[in-house]
Amino acid sequence: MPSLDGKVALVTGAGRGIGREHALALAQAGAKVVVNEIVAAGGEAVANYDDVSDFGAAESMVRRAIDRYGRLDILVNNAGILRDRMLVNMTEDEWDAVLAVHLKGHFGPTRHAAAYWRELAKGGETLHARVINTSSPSGVFGNVGQANYGAAKAAIAGFTVIAAQELQRYGVTVNCIAPNARTRMTEETFGDLPPPEDGFDPLDPANMSPLVVALSADEAQEITGQCFFVWGGSVNVLRPWEAGELFASDGRWDADELLAQLKERFPDGAAPEGMVAMMGKAGGQSMRVA
Ligand SMILES: NC(=O)c1ccc[n+]([C@@H]2O[C@H](COP(=O)([O-])OP(=O)(O)OC[C@H]3O[C@@H](n4cnc5c(N)ncnc54)[C@H](O)[C@@H]3O)[C@@H](O)[C@H]2O)c1
């Protein structure tokens, strides 16, 4: 695996699940890891218990890594919660809590780490810094019952693209992953897919972490602004919103004409395929094995 010797990483929400595996994998690759929750087994680590959605606490988290180890190289924004509900029944609290932990919980640590990296770059240091965000198939493909969560996760994918463009000049890459794993968060979804008795378990949360280590390597300096779907052994670099089906007119469209054109071009309508269908496409063989 690539050596991350001498690098310092901060992983949010690393108490269990995917974040814990990221912390362990980064430590195994040689990084010193600061986790906000528990001390990772193996490697050197310090822990804190701050809430990622609190802007001040996010600053303390970043500061603690720098104070403890003298620097910060890698930020993995991973902490998250679910408050699933159909839109018509969703409460304001359920909306706010999910947006706060995911979206603001990505903004705060990234904002404070980025300000620190900008100062280093301005001081003449050549950086190989990393932000690795956590989106979701729910955000990039859309999943019923997750308007709050999917909106936050889609926003994280958008935030990744913009942060990548803004921070490239300082030597910081920003990417995101759309993971799939059996954790406390997804035990209902993947509960009917128990781990195999032997052999490769496509839903082991540790399958998400080699990508985090790879993206953290200095050699990945030119890979930024991407969203990676991960399922078992499949890593799919997703295409973002891209130029699609063009309806061009010499001037302003007449609504009647435009409607007629839309109906002609989409005789069967146009609607999202849904998360499960898209996950199958993105995961390919590996997903069918599961
Ligand atoms: N498991 C999957 O299949 C899957 C799919 C898509 C996205 N994700 C995303 O992956 C990330 C990790 O999820 P997981 O599956 O490991 O779930 P998990 O519930 O096992 O872990 C989430 C972690 O985030 C922490 N956390 C929650 N709120 C926090 C806060 N305000 N401040 C600090 N920490 C907080 C929790 O304590 C926990 O340790 C999440 O962002 C989740 O949305 C997971």
Side-chain angles (χ1 to χ4, degrees), residues 16 18 37 51-52 78 80 102 134 136 149 153 179 181 183 186:
R16 58 169 182 264
I18 295 171
E37 280 193 16
D51 175 356
V52 288
N78 163 83
H102 288 281
T134 309
S136 168
Y149 180 77
K153 291 303 202 183
T183 64
T186 55

Side-chain angles (χ1 to χ4, degrees), residues 62-123:
V62 169
R63 193 37 56 199
R64 197 167 295 125
I66 298 163
D67 290 348
R68 175 70 174 80
Y69 293 123
R71 57 183 302 109
L72 176 67
D73 302 283
I74 302 158
L75 167 65
V76 183
N77 288 309
N78 163 83
I81 57 168
L82 287 181
R83 297 285 184 275
D84 290 0
R85 189 90 58 198
M86 294 304 266
L87 181 55
V88 293
N89 291 320
M90 188 171 286
T91 66
E92 186 180 2
D93 283 350
E94 288 164 345
W95 176 270
D96 287 346
V98 168
L99 269 288
V101 173
H102 288 281
L103 188 51
K104 194 171 172 200
H106 271 62
F107 164 65
T110 307
R111 152 74 175 76
H112 295 300
Y116 159 72
W117 285 323
R118 185 187 59 173
E119 284 311 302
L120 293 187
K122 277 185 161 177

Side-chain angles (χ1 to χ4, degrees), residues 4 29 37 65 86 135 162 182 185 200 209-210 229 231 242 246 282:
L4 303 180
E37 280 193 16
M86 294 304 266
S135 183
I162 294 167
R182 192 187 305 99
M185 182 178 281
F200 180 55
S209 304
F229 172 93
W231 177 287
E242 57 180 16
L246 178 67

Side-chain angles (χ1 to χ4, degrees), residues 143-156:
N143 193 28
V144 171
Q146 297 193 313
N148 49 359
Y149 180 77
K153 291 303 202 183
I156 287 167

Side-chain angles (χ1 to χ4, degrees), residues 23-42:
L24 291 170
L26 288 163
Q28 227 185 336
K32 295 186 174 68
V33 185
V34 179
V35 299
N36 94 307
E37 280 193 16
I38 59 148
V39 180

